[in-house]
């Protein structure tokens, strides 16, 4: 099989990677081609210091179990494959159902409460010997941030009562590109950031 990348406006076909090392190198080449296309140097994009992990400023804040991080970076061999439990799998736990009944909120409602997100994220980590915590959230929080109403009445799955019906509808209902800045993210998705901070404090 082949894949294609765009370099300097030209489509370049490549064969699929034959090994993990080759796959990592091909991925690096694709990323760097995009970086060069955007007129950036190999140091990457300047980022907001407030968005960087806390251990960038305080090395003591680096997680004691960094197996997942080392495996993701792919720089060195790791002693074993990291283990984690996806958020959906965590919902089988009796403590999840007990907590959900205690707070009296639906799944979607819980995603807006950092204390709920942190609790449900940490439940599998407390019960099992995990190498990472998976954020208790959903891609639907992005849709909601873009003014697309989402419901989950129970027993019928996710519902979108008023889906977008075309480009004109999207232009009218979805925030403009110019408004999608840091303030927008903090306003619409600030609860997600707070959830992550709370989870970090408990790990």
């Amino acid at each position: 099989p082949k894949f294609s990348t765009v370099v300097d406006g030209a489509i370049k076909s490549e064969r699929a990677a034959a090994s993990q090392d080759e796959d990592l190198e091909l991925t690096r080449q694709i990323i760097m081609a995009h970086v060069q296309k955007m007129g950036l140097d190999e140091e990457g994009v300047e980022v907001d210091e407030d968005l960087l992990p806390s251990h960038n400023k305080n090395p003591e804040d680096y997680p004691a179990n960094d197996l997942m991080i080392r495996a993701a970076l792919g720089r060195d061999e790791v002693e074993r494959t990291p283990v984690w439990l996806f958020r959906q799998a965590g919902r089988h736990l009796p403590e999840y159902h007990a907590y959900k009944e205690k707070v009296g909120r639906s799944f979607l409602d819980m995603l807006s409460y950092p204390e709920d997100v942190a609790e449900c994220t940490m439940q599998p980590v407390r019960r099992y010997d995990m190498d990472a915590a998976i954020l208790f959230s959903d891609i639907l929080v992005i849709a909601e941030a873009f003014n697309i109403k989402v419901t989950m009445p129970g027993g019928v799955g996710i519902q979108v009562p008023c889906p977008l019906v075309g480009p004109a509808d999207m232009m009218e209902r979805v925030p403009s590109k110019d408004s999608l800045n840091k303030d927008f993210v903090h306003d619409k998705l600030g609860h997600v950031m707070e959830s992550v901070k709370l989870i970090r404090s408990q790990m």
Side-chain angles (χ1 to χ4, degrees):
K2 294 180 177 291
F3 62 90
S4 298
T5 57
V6 178
V7 181
D8 296 331
I11 298 178
K12 179 182 178 183
S13 294
E14 307 274 5
R15 64 178 176 79
S19 67
Q20 182 181 12
D21 289 342
E22 189 175 357
D23 182 58
L24 287 170
E25 176 57 24
L26 289 172
T27 302
R28 189 194 71 79
Q29 291 176 12
I30 292 170
I31 294 171
M32 292 315 303
H34 178 71
V35 167
Q36 291 165 7
K37 180 182 175 184
M38 297 296 290
L40 305 169
D41 58 28
E42 291 210 5
E43 294 300 318
V45 185
E46 183 179 346
V47 298
D48 187 335
E49 288 287 331
D50 292 337
L51 300 180
L52 291 174
S54 58
H55 62 257
N56 278 49
K57 298 176 182 176
N58 181 13
E60 293 182 0
D61 205 22
Y62 192 79
N65 180 350
D66 66 345
L67 178 62
M68 176 69 81
I69 297 172
R70 289 184 285 117
L73 291 173
R75 294 172 182 164
D76 302 297
E77 291 289 331
V78 291
E79 56 273 24
R80 59 180 175 80
T81 301
V83 178
W84 68 96
L85 193 64
F86 278 119
R87 187 267 302 162
Q88 290 88 340
R91 290 163 65 186
H92 84 281
L93 298 179
E95 53 263 46
Y96 167 79
H97 294 285
Y99 183 82
K100 189 169 180 285
E101 184 176 351
K102 173 186 173 183
V103 297
R105 289 189 273 268
S106 69
F107 164 72
L108 285 179
D109 288 338
M110 289 170 70
L111 302 185
S112 298
Y113 292 81
E115 62 274 21
D116 291 353
V117 173
E119 172 60 25
C120 295
T121 296
M122 293 302 297
Q123 285 176 350
V125 180
R126 296 191 198 110
R127 178 179 277 258
Y128 305 114
D129 186 17
M130 296 289 167
D131 296 306
I134 303 301
L135 180 67
F136 182 81
S137 190
D138 198 282
I139 191 65
L140 295 174
V141 300
I142 305 297
E144 291 181 318
F146 285 160
N147 298 327
I148 308 299
K149 185 178 180 181
V150 178
T151 64
M152 189 178 284
V156 294
I158 296 165
Q159 303 288 305
V160 182
C162 300
L164 296 172
V165 295
D169 190 28
M170 184 183 75
M171 293 292 290
E172 181 178 342
R173 293 168 56 192
V174 176
S176 67
K177 182 179 178 181
D178 294 339
S179 69
L180 302 181
N181 51 34
K182 187 169 72 171
D183 291 337
F184 177 89
V185 172
H186 281 291
D187 178 45
K188 298 292 187 177
L189 297 169
H191 57 284
V192 178
M193 314 301 181
E194 288 302 315
S195 299
V196 172
K197 290 178 181 177
L198 190 54
I199 292 164
R200 283 292 307 274
S201 72
Q202 295 181 22
M203 292 187 71

